[in-house]
Each structure stands twice: as structure tokens, then as C-alpha cells.
Amino acid sequence: MANVIVNRVLEFLRRYPPFSFLGREELERVASAVEIHYLEKGELLFNQGEAAQPHFFVLKEGSVELIETKAGKEEIQEICDEGDVFGVLALLGKRPYVLTARIAENSLIYSIPVEIFEEVLEKNTKVALYFAAGFASGQVVVRQDLSQGQKARGVFKAENRDHSLLIFSDQSEIKISEKVLTCRPDTSIQELANQMSEADVSSIVVSSEKGFPLGIITDKDLRKRVIAQSLQTSALASEIMSTPVITRKKESGFSDLYLTMIKNRLHHLILTEDGSDQSPVCGILSDHDVLLSMGNSPAVLIHGLMNTLDVKEMRTIRDRAEQMLRYYLENEVAMDFVASIMTEINDVIIRQAVKIAESNLKVEYPEFKNTRYCFLSMGSEGREEQLLRTDQDNALVYEDVPEKLKEKAAEYFLKLGTSIVEVMLACGFASCPGDIMASNPEWVQPLSTWKNYFSKWILTPTQDALMRASIFFDFRAVTGNTGLAEELSLHIYQEVQKKQAFLSFLAQNALANPAPLGFFRNFMVEKSGEHRDQFDIKARAMMPLTDLARLLVLSHGVIGVNNTFKRFERLAELEPNYEALFTQAGKAYEILMRMRALEGLKEGDSGRYIHPENLGKLQRQLLKNTFSPISELQEIVQVRFQLDYFR
């Protein structure tokens, strides 16, 4: 009979983390030590402030409320359901209980001795990580360590062996050439070409006597600068080398090296001992090495986009980028790398769309060939956070033209903006429901009008103006004359400085969405309509963080930082007292971005609405843990901007 009971306990436990991480032998030891308790509704299992018992609990059947008492008032922090682990303070630190456990329905509870489980903790890293990530129920702490949650998600998932879209987290996976061919600046072209031919390499680094890199010469340089220009082969290396060189440290993570190559359109990246050009050359990474190792890489996709103006082909390449994105997300590739890659791909599409539009209009509007303009991305794309092809938010700003050209300029730039938007629509980007796109004449305006827009929004912060601010304040210049965007940014910050009260209105707006946990610590789901009982991850979790980051960065007068997690990084530097909170907020946002994108790829939509019941226990707890920085930041904003006076 005893064995039958142990087996039943074992079969139940193995269905739930962290017990699902145990081997059969470990699980049998735990199951054999379990004590089974039946408690009736209203009974207390333990009290807040009591010394921790020498065991923790797993709910087998029924319901348990975890309650916090503050100033004599009870507040339900969480309701445990089947398989939840709780009362873990004995395990984690042997401190008094911070919550009371009260039986909400008649319940069967398994009690597991800490003594037996401590041995498991020492041997099983996954189990230790489960508790370190704060996945047990009722762990009321000041702040969850979300970096542990990110790590746990990667460790707990099944390994993916599909290398069809290889992307590596560090350079150990790829061969970096350590034998670098070098020459001095006074080496003749004939001599260096012979050296390259003998070594069978496509590049040679021009270096100083100390071995510091001065420039680089590639096969392409020999073709374009020597053969095409009929330059004498007796000419010197210094005359044809590409300089200055971009360098990185060899020990840099592969994602950093590779992203440097992509962003700077480099075919060869020089590696030095300390990462600067004032250090000896110790390696070189070529795009050929990368492509041999990576197959269908971002470089391949970007190269394909840059070499086509066929919209159908551009759409096909962007579809392939979505497959790559899925692989990155499922394999826990760093979110800053993923976001940077997808932003670069989206930006290249926009730049190609601009080429198409300019080409189609140049004959009809020759007078605007040299008129300065800038295409702006806003919203998530402006913040470099648009992973899926969700709503496009964009606009166009152009320099003020003479009175006689104003009407025709408005006509030309609207046609230009409309053409760009149409290419993006054809490439699968959704249309903006609010029509905030460069195909709407309201958002295709000269610089003076844009300045007036922002001045009006700041000086008269109506609800509509605040809504505009949440989109337009995150603009980013994608292509064209970036000086116009910089001038507009400076104008905005000058206006904000003149009317500091605007920040208080913006702060009110940032508190419009409370931390997304309901009374019983469940997800706040939609109550009616098409998405009833679904969780709106954008409005309830992501927007509060983007709004708070934007507000706080604006309050510090920081210009040019639009990305949400980079804003939190900057805030951590500016306010060291809150460094841990801002770091956690940034990590929370990364986790939310990943979850939304994965949901969107799975459902074939924007990923905005999630069915909580479809999430596994670990996913649910990780998502809940991302909410704690929201409420803490909102409390700080409430006090800092004196919002009680606005009520």
C-alpha cells in the first residue's frame, strides 16, 4: 500500500516543475518523504511572521490563498492552484513567513522536508535555478531577478538541434583567421598583390611598425582603384587603402562582431588586442567566413534586399526574415541582437522603397532633386523594437521651401511618402489604424510645421496631444537628411524645458495602465469583445514600460535615446539609487518583446493578445514576474511628479 501511495505522489509531482527536472531516482526519494495533509476551508497552514517550518508545500487538490497583512488590512497576493509550490522561505533562507497561507477550498497538500530537498538542490542546477528565478508561488520580494528568469527559460526549454539558420552567441562557433596578411604603407601595389595571390586571401591589412592597423586593401579595392583607374602598380599601399579602419577586440561576443559588420557594411573586420586601432592586429573576420558558417544569415537577407528593387522579391526576403526571427527567439539569442537585426532589415526595405519612389518621381518633379527631407519611423519601429510586421507608424519631414514652391513641394513629398508606404504594405507591414503614415498629408510636412505640431502638443497637453506624444516622441530618422530630425529633436527638448508641467501630464498618461495583475494576482484580461478573456500584452505590460521609460528620459533632458531597454540602461546610469530597478525594467521589457513575438509567429498575427490558459506554469510565472517593475516605477512617478495634486 505504501508503494502505491509513493507512486501516486511521484506521478503527480513529475508533471510539475521543479520536480519535472528530477531523474527517477531523485524523484522517488522526494516522493517517499512526502507527508500528505487534508485541510478544510478556513484553516491556516502557516501565518505571516511565524518561523519557517522545516518543509515546503505543493498543492495537490483544492485552493490556497496567500495573504499579506499590512496595517491590519489583509490583501490576497496570490491564489495557488494544482501543482503550485509555496512556503519556500524555509528552503531559500530560513526566514519567517512573509505571507499567511489560508485554505480557500478543502485541500490536499503535499509537505516536502527541506532536508531531503537540499540534497537535490546541490546536485540539480535546474531545480536551483527554478527557485532563484522566483517561479515558486507567493515569493513576495522587493524585486525578482529577471535575469535568472531569462536564463531559466533557456535552460528549461528542449534543446533545438536545427542549424538551418545558424546564429551563434559567441565566436567559439566560427573560425576567425588569426594569420593576418599585413604590409607597410610604403609597399607597392605590385608587391602586395603578389603577397595576396601567394597567400590566396582576399585582403591585406596595412599596418604600422608596431603592427597597428592603418588601413585595409581588398580584391575589390584592386579592381576599383587600380585596374579601373589605370593606376600604376608601382603606386603605394597608402594611396589605395581604405581608412580609417573599424576594429574590435577578438574576445568580443560574436553577435557584437557580426552586428558591427552588418551595420558598417564591412566585408572584413579587423580584430586587435585591445579592440582599438592603437593596438596590434591579431585576427580578421570576413563575411565569407560568416556565410560559410551561417547559411541563411542576416547578411544574406540584407545583401539580397540591397540588390533588388523588385517589391515581390523584397516581400519574399522579408518572409524569410520571419523564419530567421522564429529561430532566434526560440533559441534565446540575445534580444538586443535580434532587435538590431530586424530593425536593420526593416530599414533596408524602407531605403529601397525610397529609391523606387524617387526614381518614379524624378522626371515629374526635377526641382526637388536637392531638397532636403527625412523619412521618420515612429512607435515600435522608431524605438527599434518592431520584430513582427505590425502597424507601421511613419512620417516625412522636409526643409521649408520658398513660397512659390510650397504647394508643389507638398504634392511631391506626399506622393513620395505614399509610394514608400505602399512598398511597405506590399512587403507585409500592416497599415496604421490611426492613419499615422507618410501617405497622410497631415504627417508629410515642412520642418516649421513639425515644430509647430510639437510646440502645440507640449503647450496644450490634451488627451489627444498626449496620445500623439506617445507615438511621435519616439521618432527615428531612417533615411534622408538626418540633420532635419536632429533639429526637430532639439526643438522638442527646448519646448519641454520651457513647460515642465507637460511632464506631469505625460506622467498621468503613463499611469493610465496599472500593473497588470488583478485582485487575486491573476492576469487582467479583456472583459468583453473580440478578445474577451485574453491578456493584452501590449497595452497592459509593454506600453506602461515604454511610457515610463520615455517620461523619465525626457525628464532628464536626454536626447537621441529612443529604444526602451536602452532608455532604462541610461536611466540606471543617471539614477544609481534605482539602478537595480531600471535594470529589471529593461529585462522585463525584453522578456515581453520575446513573448509577444513568439505568440505572433505561432498565431500568425501581431501577438498582442495572449490566452493565459495556454501558457505553461513557467511561462505564466515568468510573465507575472515582469510586472513587478511596472508597479514600482509607477509608484516612483506618482510621487516624483506630484500626481496626487492632479486628482
Side-chain angles (χ1 to χ4, degrees):
M1 183 65 179
N3 284 339
V4 171
I5 294 173
V6 168
N7 283 332
R8 283 182 181 173
V9 171
L10 185 150
E11 290 304 319
F12 174 81
L13 291 178
R14 75 187 312 169
R15 290 160 46 197
Y16 300 101
F19 310 102
S20 54
F21 308 138
L22 302 181
R24 178 80 188 187
E25 191 176 322
E26 285 179 313
L27 199 51
E28 282 179 351
R29 287 195 65 212
V30 172
S32 299
V34 164
E35 295 178 15
I36 303 172
H37 303 278
Y38 174 78
L39 291 95
E40 295 187 349
K41 181 178 178 179
E43 287 190 71
L44 298 181
L45 187 59
F46 53 77
N47 269 305
Q48 182 176 331
E50 280 183 357
Q53 300 175 33
H55 41 253
F56 62 99
F57 308 97
V58 181
L59 184 60
K60 168 66 169 65
E61 293 174 14
S63 177
V64 176
E65 296 172 339
L66 300 178
I67 302 162
E68 185 174 21
T69 303
K70 288 183 179 177
K73 185 179 178 182
E74 288 189 353
E75 182 179 336
I76 297 175
Q77 292 293 333
E78 197 159 351
I79 293 185
C80 300
D81 59 14
E82 185 179 292
D84 274 348
V85 177
F86 63 102
V88 297
L89 285 176
L91 183 67
L92 296 176
K94 297 182 174 60
R95 295 173 291 165
Y97 290 114
V98 295
L99 301 173
T100 294
R102 183 168 62 203
I103 310 304
E105 299 172 8
N106 294 350
S107 300
L108 267 180
I109 294 172
Y110 291 164
S111 171
I112 301 174
V114 171
E115 186 180 12
I116 206 97
F117 210 72
E118 280 179 337
E119 297 174 25
V120 173
L121 271 177
E122 288 178 17
K123 296 176 183 176
N124 194 310
T125 55
K126 284 189 177 183
V127 174
L129 185 57
Y130 174 86
F131 289 110
F135 287 152
S137 295
Q139 288 197 59
V140 179
V141 294
V142 174
R143 194 175 298 118
Q144 297 287 5
D145 183 357
L146 290 173
S147 61
Q148 293 292 329
Q150 288 176 305
K151 179 181 176 183
R153 184 182 52 216
V155 170
F156 296 159
K157 66 183 280 297
E159 287 188 34
N160 191 331
R161 295 296 183 186
D162 174 19
H163 291 299
S164 60
L165 291 166
L166 280 176
I167 178 67
F168 306 118
S169 58
D170 60 52
Q171 74 272 32
S172 63
E173 303 276 4
I174 192 167
K175 184 178 179 182
I176 292 175
S177 302
E178 294 183 0
K179 293 182 179 179
V180 184
L181 190 64
T182 62
C183 70
R184 295 290 162 78
D186 57 359
T187 304
S188 71
I189 292 171
Q190 181 67 59
E191 186 180 343
L192 68 86
N194 289 339
Q195 289 180 42
M196 289 170 66
S197 178
E198 287 174 13
D200 193 23
V201 295
S202 60
S203 66
I204 187 167
V205 176
V206 183
S207 60
S208 67
E209 290 183 9
K210 294 182 177 179
F212 299 174
L214 302 172
I216 187 169
I217 298 170
T218 66
D219 283 342
K220 186 177 179 181
D221 295 323
L222 293 177
R223 291 195 304 272
K224 293 182 70 174
R225 299 177 183 177
V226 180
I227 298 172
Q229 296 182 20
S230 301
L231 189 66
Q232 294 293 320
T233 56
S234 58
L236 304 181
S238 57
E239 296 177 49
I240 65 165
M241 67 183 184
S242 296
T243 188
V245 291
I246 294 174
T247 59
R248 286 292 182 272
K249 196 172 183 178
K250 185 183 174 185
E251 289 73 26
S252 299
F254 176 71
S255 59
D256 177 47
L257 299 178
Y258 185 41
L259 204 54
T260 300
M261 294 179 73
I262 289 174
K263 287 195 167 184
N264 294 284
R265 307 286 189 261
L266 300 178
H267 296 290
H268 299 82
L269 178 61
I270 298 170
L271 308 175
T272 62
E273 288 182 3
D274 70 3
S276 76
D277 60 5
Q278 298 300 304
S279 174
V281 177
C282 61
I284 193 165
L285 180 62
S286 73
D287 55 5
H288 180 68
D289 297 330
V290 172
L291 295 181
L292 283 177
S293 301
M294 295 182 65
N296 190 10
S297 72
V300 172
L301 300 177
I302 290 171
H303 183 268
L305 285 170
M306 291 179 66
N307 286 279
T308 184
L309 293 176
D310 183 300
V311 177
K312 287 184 179 178
E313 190 176 348
M314 290 164 65
R315 169 66 183 255
T316 300
I317 293 171
R318 187 56 181 79
D319 289 343
R320 285 168 57 196
E322 212 109 295
Q323 299 167 20
M324 178 187 70
L325 172 64
R326 181 192 298 272
Y327 180 85
Y328 286 178
L329 295 172
E330 289 177 349
N331 287 274
E332 301 298 320
V333 175
M335 184 51 69
D336 57 348
F337 178 83
V338 176
S340 295
I341 289 295
M342 297 309 295
T343 297
E344 190 67 21
I345 288 171
N346 294 343
D347 285 359
V348 172
I349 290 173
I350 292 170
R351 293 184 194 116
Q352 295 303 90
V354 168
K355 287 181 183 178
I356 294 170
E358 287 181 340
S359 176
N360 292 338
L361 295 169
K362 66 181 179 182
V363 174
E364 189 179 354
Y365 298 93
E367 60 268 66
F368 299 112
K369 181 182 178 182
N370 297 317
T371 303
R372 295 183 304 145
Y373 77 93
C374 185
F375 187 86
L376 306 175
S377 280
M378 297 175 298
S380 60
E381 177 63 8
R383 295 190 302 271
E384 302 181 67
E385 296 164 7
Q386 189 176 28
L387 303 182
L388 303 175
R389 283 170 283 187
T390 49
D391 304 352
Q392 51 174 306
D393 293 304
N394 46 55
L396 196 147
V397 55
Y398 57 93
E399 67 177 317
D400 287 270
V401 297
E403 188 67 35
K404 63 180 181 179
L405 287 175
K406 280 187 176 180
E407 189 175 333
K408 198 166 186 182
E411 181 182 291
Y412 167 70
F413 284 111
L414 180 59
K415 285 184 178 179
L416 186 76
T418 300
S419 178
I420 296 167
V421 167
E422 286 174 350
V423 171
M424 294 184 71
L425 290 170
C427 287
F429 291 88
S431 181
C432 175
D435 202 21
I436 299 175
M437 297 184 292
S439 53
N440 181 342
E442 188 175 4
W443 311 124
V444 179
Q445 295 290 340
L447 180 61
S448 59
T449 302
W450 277 107
K451 286 182 177 179
N452 288 337
Y453 281 168
F454 280 100
S455 293
K456 182 180 177 183
W457 295 335
I458 292 166
L459 296 174
T460 314
T462 62
Q463 192 55 45
D464 181 66
L466 293 170
M467 185 274 287
R468 300 283 191 222
S470 69
I471 299 171
F472 286 88
F473 275 53
D474 291 342
F475 73 76
R476 177 175 60 87
V478 176
T479 187
N481 188 289
T482 58
L484 292 169
E486 289 168 5
E487 190 174 338
L488 187 56
S489 287
L490 186 60
H491 172 78
I492 291 167
Y493 284 95
Q494 287 172 342
E495 292 292 273
V496 170
Q497 292 302 311
K498 283 193 282 185
K499 185 167 182 185
Q500 289 287 305
F502 170 74
L503 294 176
S504 294
F505 286 100
L506 208 57
Q508 277 187 293
N509 207 50
L511 299 193
N513 289 313
L517 282 174
F519 181 67
F520 296 127
R521 308 295 285 175
N522 289 321
F523 297 104
M524 290 175 67
V525 295
E526 303 310 296
K527 302 299 182 187
S528 60
E530 180 187 354
H531 301 289
R532 183 177 177 178
D533 295 330
Q534 295 176 0
F535 175 68
D536 186 346
I537 194 171
K538 176 184 175 181
R540 296 197 180 277
M542 297 178 75
M543 277 178 57
L545 285 169
T546 58
D547 289 345
L548 289 160
R550 182 190 307 109
L551 165 69
L552 292 168
V553 160
L554 272 170
S555 72
H556 282 285
V558 174
I559 299 176
V561 183
N562 282 12
N563 179 271
T564 300
F565 30 85
K566 287 180 182 173
R567 279 173 168 167
F568 281 124
E569 279 182 4
R570 187 79 179 95
L571 288 166
E573 295 171 7
L574 292 167
E575 300 189 41
N577 288 350
Y578 292 114
E579 180 182 357
L581 173 59
F582 290 133
T583 299
Q584 292 300 91
K587 291 186 185 304
Y589 195 73
E590 291 181 40
I591 290 169
L592 293 166
M593 275 183 68
R594 189 184 300 271
M595 283 190 167
R596 179 182 177 182
L598 283 169
E599 181 71 14
L601 290 169
K602 184 176 76 173
E603 299 296 330
D605 57 23
S606 70
R608 177 170 179 169
Y609 295 96
I610 291 174
H611 293 271
E613 70 274 11
N614 292 343
L615 298 176
K617 272 198 175 295
L618 292 178
Q619 286 178 300
R620 286 175 65 89
Q621 193 59 51
L622 181 61
L623 185 53
K624 282 184 180 182
N625 288 355
T626 65
F627 303 156
S628 59
I630 298 174
S631 57
E632 199 169 344
L633 283 168
Q634 288 180 333
E635 287 174 14
I636 290 170
V637 165
Q638 181 82 31
V639 174
R640 184 173 296 183
F641 295 93
Q642 301 180 333
L643 298 187
D644 287 337
Y645 292 108
F646 283 78
R647 293 183 175 180

